[in-house]
Amino acid sequence: MKKHFIIPILLLISCLTAACAGSQSAAFVVAGSTSVQPYVEKLAEEYTFKYPEKVIDVQGGGSSAGIQAAESGTADIGMSSRNLRETEQHLWSIEIAKDGLAIIVNPENTVRNLTLEQLRGIYAGDYTNWSQVGGKDARIHITAREEGSGTRSAFEEMVMVDRRITARAIVQDSNGAVRQFVSDDPYSIGFISLGLVNVGERPVKALSIDGVAPTYGNVEEGYYKLFRSFLFVATEKPTGYSMDFIEYIRSPEGQKILKDEGLIPEFRIYSD
C-alpha cells in the first residue's frame, strides 16, 4: 500500500486548467496510529478512486502524535489505536473498527499457547527462557513498540496492568517492524495488530492466549480478550469532505473493506 493518496494522474492533467484550483480545496489530512494507518490507506485508495476530486493525505506518527495533530489543527482527523485519556476526553471521536492484538512468534517456535500470566511474566522479565513456558531451551528475545504507540498502550493496559515492560525489550517503531523482527528471529516474541499477522512475505505465528486462538470470530464473540478500538479523533464533529469520508467508512462498502482486511467494523460516536 502507498502511504499517501495524492492526486491521480487524470487529475494532474486537469490541473493544467484553472478548474484544478477548486478541486485542490478538497484535500484533507488523516494522521496518527501506524496500526490504523494501513487500513485507512486502503479505504482512502478506494474512496479517491471513486471521487478523485477528494484528495486524502494519510500519514503515520503514532496514536499520541495523531491526537496532538488533530488537536493542534495540523491534521483534520487523528487516528488512534488506544482509548482517549482523561485529558483528551473533550475531543470528538468515533470508533471505526475493533482489532485483535496478536501475540506473535516465529513459526519455528514450538510454543502455541501462553496464559495471560505467562505473557505478562515474559514482558516483565520474569521468564527469560522459552523452556520456562513449554518451549525449547533458548533465550526469549522480546520486542515491543515505542512509548506513545497506541499498540503499546493497549498491550500495557490489557496485559501488563500494573507491571512494566522490561528494559531488555527491543523497541520497534511500527507493527511492520515488529513483524519483520519476529519473522527473522526463531526465539523472538512481539505483539501486533491481528489484521497484519498474514501480511508480509515471511510468515509469523499468532499464539493462543489462555487456550483461545486470536481469530476474527473469537474477537467478535468476545472469547479472545485482547482487542482494542480504532478511533478517528477531531477537535469537533467533522463536516464537509472529512465527514463524507467517515460516512464512506460507515457504508456497507467501507464496512466490507474493513472486514476483508481482518477488522471488525464498529461505528459508535462517543461525543457530539
Side-chain angles (χ1 to χ4, degrees), residues 30-125:
V30 184
S33 169
T34 57
S35 297
V36 185
Q37 183 182 0
Y39 304 105
V40 176
E41 287 175 348
K42 177 65 175 178
L43 289 160
E45 184 177 32
E46 297 296 330
Y47 181 75
T48 54
F49 180 79
K50 294 181 66 174
Y51 308 105
E53 75 281 3
K54 297 179 180 179
V55 184
I56 306 175
D57 185 4
V58 184
Q59 305 174 6
S63 294
S64 294
I67 292 169
Q68 291 169 7
E71 195 162 20
S72 67
T74 55
D76 298 278
I77 296 173
M79 300 179 289
S80 178
S81 55
R82 64 166 173 80
N83 292 326
L84 295 182
R85 295 168 180 156
E86 186 175 347
T87 56
E88 300 162 343
Q89 291 295 324
H90 62 284
L91 297 170
W92 180 93
S93 63
I94 187 170
E95 183 180 89
I96 65 166
K98 281 187 172 68
D99 176 49
L101 192 64
I103 310 304
I104 58 170
V105 296
N106 189 280
E108 295 182 25
N109 197 318
T110 57
V111 173
R112 296 182 178 278
N113 177 76
L114 291 172
T115 67
L116 191 60
E117 289 296 326
Q118 287 174 328
L119 178 60
R120 183 180 300 118
I122 288 172
Y123 270 87

Side-chain angles (χ1 to χ4, degrees), residues 17-32:
T17 70
C20 181
S23 66
Q24 290 282 29
S25 64
F28 64 94
V29 176
V30 184

Side-chain angles (χ1 to χ4, degrees), residues 122-145:
I122 288 172
Y123 270 87
D126 300 337
Y127 301 124
T128 58
N129 193 292
W130 281 110
S131 64
Q132 295 174 284
V133 291
K136 296 179 180 179
D137 181 12
R139 188 174 180 83
I140 300 173
H141 300 158
I142 301 169
T143 185
R145 290 294 305 279

Side-chain angles (χ1 to χ4, degrees), residues 33-35 62-64 79-83 85 101 145-158 175 191 228-230:
S33 169
T34 57
S35 297
S63 294
S64 294
M79 300 179 289
S80 178
S81 55
R82 64 166 173 80
N83 292 326
R85 295 168 180 156
L101 192 64
R145 290 294 305 279
E146 76 284 5
E147 295 284 353
S149 156
T151 306
R152 180 177 177 129
S153 295
F155 181 85
E156 289 174 332
E157 180 181 338
M158 292 186 288
N175 276 275
F191 51 86
R228 65 310 189 24
S229 296
F230 280 175

Side-chain angles (χ1 to χ4, degrees), residues 152-201:
R152 180 177 177 129
S153 295
F155 181 85
E156 289 174 332
E157 180 181 338
M158 292 186 288
V159 176
M160 302 307 293
V161 191
D162 57 351
R163 303 288 308 272
R164 292 185 62 83
I165 293 176
T166 175
R168 291 195 303 106
I170 300 170
V171 176
Q172 307 288 350
D173 63 1
S174 70
N175 276 275
V178 171
R179 191 189 186 286
Q180 183 65 48
F181 182 91
V182 173
S183 70
D184 289 340
D185 184 345
Y187 305 116
S188 59
I189 186 170
F191 51 86
I192 64 172
S193 168
L194 177 59
L196 299 178
V197 169
N198 296 319
V199 177
E201 295 181 0

